[in-house]
Amino acid sequence: MTPPKKISHVGIAVKNLEETLPFYTDVLGLTLEGYETVESEMVRVAFLTIGETRLELLEATSSESPIAKFIEKKGEGIHHIAFQIEEISDQLQTLKSQEIRLIHEVPKDGAHHSLVAFLHPKSSHGVLVELCEPQTKQNER
């Protein structure tokens, strides 16, 4: 696999965005970049910038959401780390050939106009890893 370009973001599962955001904006002084709803994941996301990286606060929009299930099992906290990569489809095939367990064998649309796919934590020593490929006008699929 080609090494990631950078850490894209850290996903943090929260019960309520409005209750959580003041800690990050008022106490830590981070800038709220905006909100986005990712229907496929049943989640509402608030993005905060810190240098070249973002924090992604994730609030479930349904009790069936993976975030709702995560919070029910483990409570609020760090959910995943996302790495920015190139050629996500090729990277997934390489990982699959190395017998890395994938949650998504095919990338799907994610927040910030990115293609995303998750690696199973059992293959990454307990860490849920997201691979992100930002889509630009020259790079749309």
Side-chain angles (χ1 to χ4, degrees), residues 36-39 41-45 58-61 65 67:
E36 189 172 340
T37 299
V38 182
E39 298 292 341
E41 294 298 312
M42 297 172 278
V43 68
R44 185 169 168 237
V45 184
L58 306 158
E59 175 189 73
T61 59
S65 166
I67 294 300

Side-chain angles (χ1 to χ4, degrees), residues 55-70:
L55 292 183
E56 203 179 71
L57 303 182
L58 306 158
E59 175 189 73
T61 59
S62 165
S63 60
E64 298 302 309
S65 166
I67 294 300
K69 293 175 182 178
F70 176 88

Side-chain angles (χ1 to χ4, degrees), residues 17-18 21 32-37 44-47 57 112:
L17 287 176
E18 281 66 36
L21 272 170
L32 175 63
E33 186 178 315
Y35 296 91
E36 189 172 340
T37 299
R44 185 169 168 237
V45 184
F47 297 98
L57 303 182
H112 280 288

Side-chain angles (χ1 to χ4, degrees), residues 14 78 122 132:
V14 303
I78 294 177
K122 288 187 178 180
C132 301

Side-chain angles (χ1 to χ4, degrees), residues 6 8-9 56 80-86 88 111 114-117 130-135:
K6 67 178 186 174
S8 170
H9 63 268
E56 203 179 71
H80 67 273
I81 185 167
F83 296 102
Q84 182 176 320
I85 63 167
E86 294 178 351
I88 191 169
S114 292
L115 290 176
V116 302
E130 180 181 11
L131 302 177
C132 301
E133 181 181 3
Q135 298 299 284

